Amino acid sequence: MSSSRLGLRLAVCLLNISEARRKYIVENVAKAALLEKNASAGLQDTEIDDLLRCAHMLFSKRLHTIPSIFLHIGQKHPEVSVLNVFSDQGYNRSVITIAASVAELGNSVLAACLEAFQSIDMEVQEGIHPCLGAVDLIPIYPLSGVGVEECGAVARSIGASPYVMNCNVTIDSQDLALGKEIASAIRGSNVNGLKGVQTMAFPHEGKIEIACNVESFEDQEVTETSEGSQYMAYSVLGDHFYYVSPHYIEAQVKKLASDQGIGIKGRALIGFTPQECKNCAEYAIKEGIGEFWKIRRGIFM
C-alpha cells in the first residue's frame, strides 16, 4: 500500500554524527529522535529560529551550555521511526536514518541533535573522516507526498534536497594517491565522470575506500533505468528523479582499479536506496515500529 493511501506525507533525515566507537551514545542519539515532547514541540516559528541559531552555535562550540529551550523530552512518537543506524569505527562516524511525517521530522531531528551535543565531546573525538562538530550533517529528503520545497521549510537553514545516497567502494590497495586518482575519474564534475556523484578517498581498515555521495537529479534524456543499467529511477509527487546505480559505481571503480593491476574488496551502501527508504518508512510508521533499525534485517533484507 502506498504512503499516499496510508495518508502519510513522509520525509527522512540522514543525520551524521561524529561518534561510532561508543555504541551506547549512538543508540541514545537514535532513541532521542523518537521522543514526542522534544526540542521544538509547540514552539512558534520565531522560537524555532532561535533554537536553530543555538544549534549552529553548538556546532562550532561557541556556546558551552545547553539552553533551556532544548530541555523538553517525553514519550515516544508514533509517526517517527529510526530506520537504520550505520556506524564506522575507523571514521568514528555514524549515520542515523530518521523517517517521519513531515510535520514531525524537524522536532525529532532536533531532539537527536541535542542528545549528540550533550554526549559527544569534540575535544577528545578522533577519526580520519573530516567533521564539523558533534553533529556533522543534517540533510532532509522527501520520500512521498511531500516535495523538496516543503522539506526545505522544515529544514530552514539546515538543508533539503532530493535524496542523496552514500555508496563506498574499497580497493585492495593502501595507495592513497591511486585512490584519489580513481575518485577523481568517477567524480561527476569531471569529464566522463558519473553524473551526480561526489567522491573522496580515505584510508580505511588497512585499505583505501572511495567514498561516494550519489545525488538524485532530474534529466529528461535518461531512458534506461534498471538494476543492471547506469541509472535507477524513482518519483516523488509525480516528479521523476534518477541516480547512478550502486552496481554501476562499483563496476566503474573495479575497472579503473583493474587497469592499475589491483582488485576491489567490496561495496558498502550506507542505509538505503531512495525506494528502499520509502518502503521501510511506510512499513515502520504504519506498524508503529520506532526502533525499526533493530529488526529491519528480518523483514526486508
Side-chain angles (χ1 to χ4, degrees):
M1 183 181 294
S2 70
S3 58
S4 59
R5 291 177 63 189
L6 290 171
L8 299 176
R9 301 170 65 249
L10 300 176
V12 65
C13 176
L14 271 62
L15 180 65
N16 287 239
I17 64 170
S18 299
E19 180 60 66
R21 297 168 186 169
R22 292 178 292 177
K23 182 179 178 181
Y24 73 94
I25 288 181
V26 177
E27 291 208 351
N28 285 344
V29 173
K31 290 175 181 178
L34 303 175
L35 299 175
E36 185 168 11
K37 294 180 180 179
N38 52 41
S40 60
L43 299 180
Q44 301 300 314
D45 286 349
T46 55
E47 293 176 304
I48 294 176
D49 287 337
D50 289 341
L51 186 149
L52 287 169
R53 280 193 290 273
C54 288
H56 285 293
M57 292 177 73
L58 282 161
F59 281 147
S60 58
K61 296 185 288 187
R62 286 183 285 119
L63 201 155
H64 299 286
T65 59
I66 303 297
S68 60
I69 195 172
F70 283 109
L71 304 179
H72 301 285
I73 59 176
Q75 301 301 310
K76 290 185 178 180
H77 200 286
E79 289 191 9
V80 180
S81 180
V82 176
L83 302 181
N84 190 60
V85 177
F86 179 90
S87 294
D88 189 292
Q89 301 287 321
Y91 291 164
N92 200 12
R93 182 183 181 91
S94 296
V95 180
I96 301 171
T97 304
I98 305 167
S101 63
V102 69
E104 300 297 337
L105 184 60
N107 292 346
S108 295
V109 170
L110 286 170
C113 289
L114 168 61
E115 181 64 32
F117 295 146
Q118 291 176 313
S119 303
I120 301 171
D121 184 355
M122 293 304 295
E123 296 293 339
V124 299
Q125 199 271 356
E126 295 181 348
I128 61 175
H129 196 289
C131 64
L132 298 174
V135 176
D136 196 42
L137 293 173
I138 318 176
I140 293 178
Y141 311 128
L143 290 179
S144 58
V146 60
V148 172
E149 184 175 340
E150 189 171 355
C151 286
V154 172
R156 305 294 176 87
S157 58
I158 295 170
S161 73
Y163 199 96
V164 178
M165 183 176 61
N166 302 114
C167 176
N168 301 338
V169 182
T170 301
I171 61 174
D172 192 11
S173 172
Q174 297 180 337
D175 187 342
L176 181 58
L178 175 60
K180 290 181 177 180
E181 182 180 328
I182 293 173
S184 177
I186 66 170
R187 188 173 296 133
S189 59
N190 290 341
V191 176
N192 299 321
L194 305 180
K195 186 169 183 176
V197 176
Q198 300 175 337
T199 60
M200 296 182 73
F202 299 105
H204 187 255
E205 297 181 350
K207 302 296 180 181
I208 300 298
E209 185 169 75
I210 313 300
C212 305
N213 284 349
V214 186
E215 297 178 340
S216 299
F217 55 87
E218 297 180 89
D219 191 338
Q220 295 180 347
E221 296 181 1
V222 174
T223 55
E224 184 182 3
T225 57
S226 65
E227 190 68 20
S229 69
Q230 181 171 352
Y231 299 110
M232 301 290 290
Y234 68 99
S235 62
V236 179
L237 286 181
D239 294 326
H240 298 284
F241 298 96
Y242 305 90
Y243 62 93
V244 178
S245 160
H247 291 284
Y248 192 83
I249 293 172
E250 181 180 16
Q252 292 302 107
V253 172
K254 183 177 182 178
K255 179 182 181 302
L256 291 166
S258 178
D259 289 344
Q260 302 297 322
I262 62 174
I264 64 171
K265 298 294 289 183
R267 183 192 75 214
L269 187 64
I270 314 305
F272 308 94
T273 66
Q275 189 61 45
E276 287 171 344
C277 191
K278 175 178 175 289
N279 292 344
C280 289
E282 289 175 0
Y283 180 88
I285 291 174
K286 175 177 176 289
E287 299 296 327
I289 306 171
E291 296 180 1
F292 183 78
W293 88 88
K294 293 184 176 180
I295 65 169
R296 73 179 183 89
R297 295 186 182 279
I299 298 175
F300 289 96
M301 302 301 169

